[in-house]
Every structure is written in structure tokens, then in C-alpha cells.
Amino acid sequence: SKRLVVTLATDEDENWLTEFFCFVRSDLIEVIRASNSDVASRVNTKSVDFGQIGIRCRYCAHRAHCERASRSSCYPSSINRIYQSITMMIHDHFLR
């Protein structure tokens, strides 16, 4: 079964972002809502509330939480923290 993927990409991205960030937003990251298993899996990191919006690596999404690489998902505390969260994912997840 195909799952719905919601990306961060917008039609305006190419006007404002580098080609690399356009690629990250359209092909690597998806927008998610924290499930009960997401909440339960956050034992050694900042807590997450059920339904909280976050971002996740599209290629780790099908894996069990314990099988995912470091920083495969994050739940920014505000809209202002999305960019920082993406750069941390790039550095600590995608480049490893």
C-alpha cells in the first residue's frame, strides 16, 4: 500500500533556495504528525506530544524506530526552528 507523503517543498522554493535545499525539501524530508509510537520512542531525547508536527527522512519512515539512523526525525518546537532542524538532519543524518 502506498502511503501519503507530504513534503516541505513549495512552488516558490526555486526562487528563494539553493538547488540543494530544494532537493532536500522535495525528495528527502516529509512532514509528519507524532503517533503514539513516536511519542513512546523518544526516551533519551526531548519529549514529543501526540499529534505534534515534525519532519522525517522519507527513506527511514518504513523502519522501526530502533532501526532508524540518528536524527531521522525531529519535532521543532516552533516554525522558527524548522531551518535549524533541517540543517541538523543534513549534518547528522544524511551526511553520515
Side-chain angles (χ1 to χ4, degrees), residues 26-74:
S26 65
D27 293 319
L28 298 182
I29 294 176
E30 65 184 1
V31 178
I32 56 171
R33 234 154 104 190
S35 66
N36 285 324
S37 64
D38 294 324
V39 172
S41 72
R42 309 288 283 200
V43 290
N44 293 326
T45 58
K46 186 177 167 194
S47 66
V48 171
D49 295 323
F50 176 78
Q52 185 174 340
I53 301 301
I55 54 177
R56 169 175 66 196
C57 169
R58 287 172 60 177
Y59 299 96
C60 290
H62 68 284
R63 297 181 176 273
H65 287 281
C66 61
E67 296 175 352
R68 294 180 188 167
S70 173
R71 263 202 224 280
S72 64
S73 64
C74 61

